[in-house]
Amino acid sequence: MSEYDYDLFVIGAGSGGVRAARTAAATGARVAVAEDRYLGGTCVNVGCVPKKLYSYAAHFHEAFEDAGGFGWHLAEAPRFDWATLRDNKIGEIKRLNGIYGRLLDNAGVRLINARARVVDTHHVEVGGETVSAEKILVAVGGWPWVPDFPGKELTVDSNQVFDLETFPERFLVLGGGYIAVEFASIFNGLGSEAHLVYRGDLFLRGFDQEVREFTRDEMAKKGVNLHFDANIEAIEKVEGGLRVTLTSGETLEVDAVLAATGRRPHLEGLGLEALDVARTESGHLAVNERFETSVPSILALGDVTGGPELTPVALAEAMQLVRHHFEPGEPGPLDYRHIPTAVFCHPNIGTVGLSEAEAREACGEIRVYTADFRPMKHTLSGSSERCLMKLIVDEASDVVVGAHMVGEEAGEVIQGIAVAVRAGLTKADFDATVGIHPTGAEEFVTMRTPTRR
């Protein structure tokens, strides 16, 4: 008999925590999970899922405008009702919360609805009891962070923005990452006068430069007001809204300000400081290939470790962690290369592999193929929206090392392309693939002439 109550005690029932708990339990391990907020974590409740639902809602605005060119005439002007979207979203999230609960129950995992605190290397205090575990997994994810400036308390963060009491006719986003560009697009599409303020010269740092520039231009065409090389100096309440003063000297009056300025590990109150669990310079938990912290019985995965903050990454880490600790044999390290990702701004971004700058540094000689075109749909819709597709090829091996797209359903298209990039297929393989006509995606297999080398 084990000397511990559980083989694995998981703190946090987000995507990574739930997957680790269920997968470990399937090996016969005794598992418990503690969650003090909501099942499914950030992704299900205040991240990927509601964000995508709101993005769908925002696209209807353009669909109504495009319909006329195809012979559809609306009897009356479309009217958006924020409360309907918000409340329907709440209902869907509750449904998903229930699914997560049943998944844990069916796997034989004990769920404790309380915040857990690590007492020592093998004990956790939770819900008024102290339990022991051979291994403790910290999978609590991140929490929004807002910088200090006068009036910061007047902002909302990415946890709160989904549930605003009233719809903001004038909406400002501070930030330049995924969340910032997505919500600037979403509220613009829903009908707000949308502003995006970013301290740098261009948003989406780390993405391919051409993709960033193309997205900037398309978002501006759609009506998003972009304020680069600026920051918020102060926010004050005024009659009818908020007055935002920028470091550039410009002032804007809006109804709501979203501070999309990053997320930090949600580690407060977990008791890890008493055990002197090592952290990185950024404040994340330092882990090795086995997801062990500096205290070997305490494991960590997902956003608290400072890797790619993406739900599929947390899921992959969870399964890899179980292979290391609950299955026979010793797997190799998790491969973080070629992780595809999407940004649900309007138009969408999908990307996998190296940017052009990264490829030049890694490969030396490269070939770049691009297609910049007006999609067939818009020949009748009248929209000026354009699409960008891009392949980056290593000259020496002919391997496609990067694929990027800005356009409608870019994430859906790049998911398929990601398989090819992950498999190391060559440009010749792409060229030998018969395209599906007429689609935009066929451009990825019909680009024959390099744009530049």
Side-chain angles (χ1 to χ4, degrees):
M1 295 290 292
S2 171
E3 62 181 293
Y4 303 107
D5 298 322
Y6 297 100
D7 301 304
L8 178 67
F9 191 98
V10 183
I11 304 176
S15 299
V18 169
R19 178 63 61 88
R22 293 174 57 215
T23 309
T27 71
R30 296 162 304 148
V31 184
V33 175
E35 174 57 57
D36 68 332
R37 193 167 177 85
Y38 30 48
L39 295 178
T42 297
C43 177
V44 167
N45 295 276
V46 289
C48 325
V49 171
K51 173 189 68 182
K52 189 69 181 290
L53 293 175
Y54 282 25
S55 179
Y56 283 138
H59 276 296
F60 278 99
H61 175 86
E62 293 176 334
F64 294 139
E65 290 186 344
D66 293 345
F70 292 90
W72 288 94
H73 302 285
L74 302 177
E76 57 184 53
R79 180 180 61 84
F80 172 65
D81 182 61
W82 168 255
T84 299
L85 173 62
R86 181 194 62 209
D87 296 348
N88 285 346
K89 180 271 303 181
I90 291 171
E92 172 61 10
I93 300 308
K94 286 182 178 178
R95 185 184 73 85
L96 295 175
N97 294 152
I99 289 175
Y100 270 77
R102 290 190 293 275
L103 287 172
L104 290 170
D105 186 56
N106 292 339
V109 176
R110 180 190 176 193
L111 172 62
I112 306 171
N113 294 299
R115 181 76 166 172
R117 182 177 66 86
V118 178
V119 178
D120 58 32
T121 55
H122 291 287
H123 290 84
V124 176
E125 185 180 81
V126 58
E129 63 177 314
T130 299
V131 299
S132 62
E134 183 176 0
K135 299 179 188 296
I136 300 167
L137 171 59
V138 179
V140 293
W143 201 255
W145 172 81
V146 181
D148 284 325
F149 53 77
K152 67 172 284 188
E153 70 280 0
L154 299 174
T155 66
V156 296
D157 60 36
S158 57
N159 285 358
Q160 302 164 322
V161 68
F162 296 101
D163 297 306
L164 297 175
E165 187 64 29
T166 58
F167 181 72
E169 299 292 342
R170 302 164 299 172
F171 185 74
L172 185 148
V173 184
L174 174 64
Y178 282 72
I179 296 172
V181 297
E182 288 171 337
F183 275 101
S185 285
I186 286 169
F187 277 89
N188 175 66
L190 295 177
S192 291
E193 174 194 297
H195 298 265
L196 184 144
V197 175
Y198 179 52
R199 63 183 180 178
D201 61 351
L202 188 58
F203 49 39
L204 295 175
R205 183 165 53 91
F207 282 75
D208 182 88
Q209 182 69 13
E210 189 172 11
V211 166
R212 298 167 73 197
E213 293 173 354
F214 189 91
T215 304
R216 172 199 63 200
D217 295 344
E218 290 298 307
M219 285 181 62
K221 280 195 325 191
K222 290 178 182 295
V224 178
N225 299 282
L226 302 173
H227 308 264
F228 294 125
D229 294 313
N231 212 331
I232 291 181
E233 189 170 276
I235 304 175
E236 57 183 321
K237 260 190 171 180
V238 295
E239 185 177 352
L242 303 172
R243 178 179 292 125
V244 182
T245 302
L246 304 183
T247 53
S248 62
E250 185 178 5
T251 60
L252 300 167
E253 289 200 9
V254 298
D255 301 306
V257 176
L258 166 63
T261 44
R263 299 173 69 88
R264 293 185 174 179
H266 191 36
L267 299 172
E268 292 77 11
L270 290 186
L272 298 178
E273 294 83 0
L275 278 67
D276 200 26
V277 177
R279 299 200 192 188
T280 65
E281 288 185 6
S282 60
H284 294 85
L285 297 180
V287 295
N288 60 18
E289 290 180 354
R290 291 170 52 83
F291 302 97
E292 295 167 335
T293 67
S294 58
V295 178
S297 63
I298 298 179
L299 315 176
L301 59 71
D303 293 359
V304 294
T305 63
E309 295 184 358
L310 300 168
T311 295
V313 172
L315 297 175
E317 290 178 343
M319 291 185 288
Q320 183 77 346
L321 180 149
V322 171
R323 294 186 195 106
H324 276 295
H325 295 276
F326 296 97
E327 294 179 356
E330 190 65 22
L334 189 62
D335 188 355
Y336 289 91
R337 297 173 301 161
H338 307 313
I339 296 173
T341 189
V343 184
F344 295 105
C345 51
H346 299 183
N348 296 172
I349 299 171
T351 181
V352 62
L354 303 179
S355 68
E356 183 175 340
E358 290 169 338
R360 292 191 186 280
E361 183 175 345
C363 306
E365 298 295 325
I366 63 172
R367 303 193 307 275
V368 179
Y369 298 80
T370 60
D372 177 344
F373 59 96
R374 188 184 187 194
M376 180 180 180
K377 172 184 176 181
H378 296 313
T379 60
L380 294 188
S381 75
S383 170
S384 63
E385 180 178 310
R386 300 187 66 81
C387 179
L388 172 69
M389 294 182 178
K390 182 172 185 176
L391 290 176
I392 303 167
V393 180
D394 174 27
E395 182 70 71
S397 65
D398 196 45
V399 169
V400 176
V401 295
H404 310 274
M405 177 178 172
V406 184
E408 188 173 355
E409 301 293 359
E412 303 289 346
V413 174
I414 288 295
Q415 178 64 82
I417 299 293
V419 178
V421 174
R422 179 72 179 82
L425 298 189
T426 64
K427 183 62 167 62
D429 292 318
F430 275 66
D431 293 344
T433 302
V434 177
I436 302 172
H437 185 74
T439 65
E442 69 180 312
E443 292 289 335
F444 275 117
V445 298
T446 60
M447 291 186 280
R448 295 289 190 268
T449 305
T451 304
R452 54 187 169 273
R453 295 178 183 269

